Amino acid sequence: MLNTYFRVIVGSMVLLSVVLTVYVNPNWMWFTVFIGVNLIQSAFTKWCLLETILVKLGVKKEGGSCSSC
């Protein structure tokens, strides 16, 4: 479940930032850049703030049983 929530939230944030860039102000593109940099950083460090927040909110990691949480 965690992976699904993560992808939906990040994808929505990217789409939102693109819409804001087109219709509000071009500086919103920096938000898209921030998301991309955060994804690259998390690939190397294996840590992502959004994942930490989702786990604290009670989203279960994949696996299907409580022992894998």
Side-chain angles (χ1 to χ4, degrees):
M1 278 311 270
L2 182 65
N3 193 24
T4 303
Y5 279 104
F6 180 82
R7 289 173 186 251
V8 168
I9 291 170
V10 171
S12 299
M13 288 171 44
V14 168
L15 289 175
L16 176 65
S17 67
V18 170
V19 168
L20 289 170
T21 298
V22 171
Y23 293 109
V24 177
N25 188 324
N27 284 326
W28 278 102
M29 187 57 69
W30 289 108
F31 185 52
T32 310
V33 171
F34 169 75
I35 295 168
V37 169
N38 189 23
L39 287 170
I40 294 169
Q41 169 267 320
S42 67
F44 289 107
T45 63
K46 306 295 186 232
W47 180 82
C48 179
L49 179 60
L50 178 58
E51 183 178 335
T52 303
I53 292 169
L54 289 173
V55 169
K56 288 189 182 212
L57 288 175
V59 176
K60 300 214 185 305
K61 293 185 179 183
E62 283 78 21
S65 69
C66 288
S67 61
S68 65
C69 296

